[in-house]
Amino acid sequence: MKAMYGFALFCAVMLSSCNSEPSLQKYFVENSENKNFLALDVSPEIINVDQKKLSVVELEAVKSFKKMNVLAFKLTDKNKTEFEKERAKVNLILKDKKYQQLMKFGSGKEGASVSFVGTDEHIEEFILYANKKENGFAVVRILGKDMSPTAVMAMISVLQRSNIDLEQLKPLQQLMK
């Protein structure tokens, strides 16, 4: 009888931990091996800057940055149907209330949006989504710890001044061709 209760408890825990809701993290995992996508993980080492020359806010921003995931779909004549299907999936995921939209540019067919997960002062991730009907789309997840909009603006400033390690971005050059 104890074995039966143990098995039932195990099944209940397993079933409750399975979350069937779509998320960007799941979407990235599901498509990282798809031939139509380019998946890229970028480490904090891409930021090559003298930390002694950073302000306190900039230094905190750099320390809060953990990694960046990029998933890009390159549109070709052969995958137009899949492009529309995948773009619709991303749009549906980003409509979830978990993803709070900060701004949007362009129209539904072309444009970009910036969203975040977390609270205003404790942001876990920023999501940049851009799509263009002639080229494809890209989703960028910027992951960090307790990021804030101020930290993100400081990070952009640091990136503009840094000597970016372009070796990590080489796979994206393929997509741009």
Side-chain angles (χ1 to χ4, degrees):
M1 198 64 166
K2 283 184 180 181
M4 182 83 109
Y5 285 118
F7 180 73
L9 181 61
F10 172 78
C11 289
V13 168
M14 292 306 291
L15 288 173
S16 67
S17 68
C18 293
N19 187 348
S20 62
E21 290 179 23
S23 72
L24 279 181
Q25 184 175 2
K26 287 179 186 179
Y27 187 78
F28 271 64
V29 171
E30 290 169 359
N31 290 293
S32 63
E33 299 296 320
N34 184 324
K35 64 181 170 54
N36 290 314
F37 285 91
L38 170 68
L40 183 65
D41 291 327
V42 180
S43 71
E45 285 75 35
I46 195 169
I47 304 168
N48 188 6
V49 67
D50 183 0
Q51 293 192 1
K52 294 174 192 163
K53 294 181 179 178
L54 299 178
S55 71
V56 173
V57 172
E58 290 171 333
L59 193 56
E60 285 178 19
V62 169
K63 287 181 179 178
S64 72
F65 174 62
K66 299 300 175 203
K67 69 178 175 176
M68 182 168 51
N69 304 123
V70 179
L71 188 67
F73 186 103
K74 181 170 174 133
L75 180 64
T76 65
D77 291 335
K78 297 177 183 177
N79 66 9
K80 287 181 180 178
T81 304
E82 187 173 353
F83 165 73
E84 291 298 334
K85 185 175 82 172
E86 295 301 326
R87 191 171 66 146
K89 283 182 188 177
V90 172
N91 286 330
L92 182 65
I93 290 169
L94 291 176
K95 285 183 181 178
D96 186 303
K97 64 183 177 200
K98 167 182 171 179
Y99 302 101
Q100 300 174 58
Q101 192 174 85
L102 287 174
M103 58 184 113
K104 186 174 185 174
F105 310 93
S107 67
K109 297 280 183 194
E110 285 188 10
S113 68
V114 179
S115 304
F116 71 93
V117 175
T119 63
D120 291 344
E121 292 302 317
H122 299 284
I123 296 171
E124 298 167 29
E125 72 181 89
F126 275 95
I127 299 99
L128 309 172
Y129 172 54
N131 72 85
K132 191 166 186 179
K133 62 182 176 182
E134 297 91 31
N135 298 15
F137 68 82
V139 182
V140 179
R141 295 175 66 224
I142 302 169
L143 305 167
K145 183 174 185 198
D146 287 337
M147 295 183 293
S148 68
T150 305
V152 171
M153 296 309 288
M155 179 63 83
I156 291 169
S157 173
V158 170
L159 285 171
Q160 289 173 337
R161 296 189 327 257
S162 75
N163 185 13
I164 294 177
D165 179 6
L166 296 175
E167 192 64 31
Q168 291 190 50
L169 299 178
K170 273 197 172 182
L172 282 178
Q173 291 175 344
Q174 252 184 304
L175 186 68
M176 300 302 179
K177 292 180 182 177

